[in-house]
Amino acid sequence: PHSGTMEWVMARYRRTREEGLQKIFTRTLSSMARGGVYDQIGGGFHRYSTDPRWIVPHFEKMLYDNAGLLANYVHAWQLTKDPLYRETVEGILAWADEVLSDRDRGGYYASQDADVGLEDDGDYFTWTLDELAAAVSQDETRVLALLYEVGERGEMHHNSRKNVLFVDQEPEEIAKALGIPIDRVRALIPNGRRKLKAARDKRPMPAVDKTIFASWNGMMIASVLEAAMAFGREELRTFALKSLDRILSEMWTKDHGMWHASADGKRKVRGLLEDHVYMVDALLAAFTATADPAYLRTAEQIMTFVLKHFWDSAGGF
């Protein structure tokens, strides 16, 4: 996914209302949200897709990808009010909250691995038809198998019975195919999805890299604050600001600038340009969300440091 490109396209569309630009971002974001590159059960986006239909991903999930995509889907919802985009936002937030958040101290971890072991290839995230049927009721199996195109033969090369879940049919088509009311289909889908999540939670989970990177946290904090403002979610704002305060207190000093990473309680690597710039972005988002001038003053301090230490007099940073 190219979240920066999508931001540019949406910003230009907001100014110009060019129909072609709307097609670009709606087709791209809708296809990704319905695809296997998005975790249909646990929320959040995988690292990248290995095919042009966004179905079979590399299963690692990175904080910075999800930070950029979170902003994409918030802004796409603001532009279109398409419920798919809000649902995708909620999925990213739920996954980040459950898997990548340090709930006690604030801050977001770096990533979640793709696999559990060497013989594994996304087995935590994929399903055989038998595994699906064992986790949900008979009616839910019929509906979810059509919704997510789960069959005896799946998409994974290492185990042809393993299916990547992606949205293949809409509820209306499923209702027609099975001869059951559309309202029944719409009720069975979320119930079945919750049961699949509960069954998957019993599997060995891929490890989480608990490194705290300043730059990636800056990206995520800014995006979460965008979501908090768009949806009036006070608890999102509270945790994002708690995370921002932690990064600043542990990884920023006026004399030495930002640090790049914090792992096992130790600061590692002097900050890069991106660590400073993305934290400034987070501070500006915090000022927008709270109107507290302290965030603006800190942003100015960090940018003064950047201009002093990173600016090349020949041009550029």
Side-chain angles (χ1 to χ4, degrees), residues 47-219:
R47 183 70 187 85
Y48 55 81
S49 174
T50 63
D51 68 282
R53 290 179 60 206
W54 298 105
I55 291 173
V56 182
H58 173 58
F59 289 93
E60 189 176 16
K61 291 182 182 177
M62 310 298 296
L63 176 61
Y64 67 88
D65 286 320
N66 283 279
L69 289 163
L70 176 58
N72 282 174
Y73 283 93
V74 169
H75 296 151
W77 179 81
Q78 287 175 317
L79 285 168
T80 67
K81 295 298 186 282
D82 186 331
L84 173 64
Y85 299 151
R86 178 159 188 174
E87 190 181 323
T88 308
V89 167
E90 298 291 357
I92 296 171
L93 291 168
W95 166 73
D97 184 56
E98 181 183 355
V99 178
L100 283 199
S101 298
D102 185 336
R103 299 310 301 174
D104 293 331
R105 300 170 63 202
Y108 297 93
Y109 303 134
S111 62
Q112 182 180 24
D113 285 354
D115 310 308
V116 175
L118 294 173
E119 303 303 314
D120 185 359
D121 187 6
D123 287 356
Y124 176 78
F125 299 103
T126 54
W127 299 80
T128 65
L129 185 56
D130 288 343
E131 287 170 340
L132 179 81
V136 300
S137 72
Q138 193 172 357
D139 282 351
E140 287 161 350
T141 299
R142 293 168 69 210
V143 168
L144 294 176
L146 289 178
L147 176 69
Y148 293 129
E149 212 263 330
V150 178
E152 293 290 352
R153 185 171 182 82
E155 294 77 26
M156 300 304 296
H157 294 301
H158 78 297
N159 180 352
S160 61
R161 296 179 66 235
K162 279 281 193 176
N163 292 262
V164 179
L165 303 190
F166 65 95
V167 177
D168 186 56
Q169 295 187 45
E170 296 301 322
E172 292 78 9
E173 298 170 274
I174 296 168
K176 192 174 178 183
L178 297 178
I180 57 179
I182 182 66
D183 290 346
R184 175 82 174 135
V185 172
R186 289 203 178 107
L188 287 168
I189 289 171
N191 286 341
R193 198 185 284 138
R194 278 192 291 273
K195 290 178 186 176
L196 289 180
K197 175 76 166 60
R200 197 178 82 174
D201 286 346
K202 294 173 184 171
R203 299 175 178 177
M205 189 177 85
V208 171
D209 177 355
K210 293 193 173 181
T211 306
I212 302 278
F213 289 108
S215 54
W216 298 1
N217 268 265
M219 294 172 74

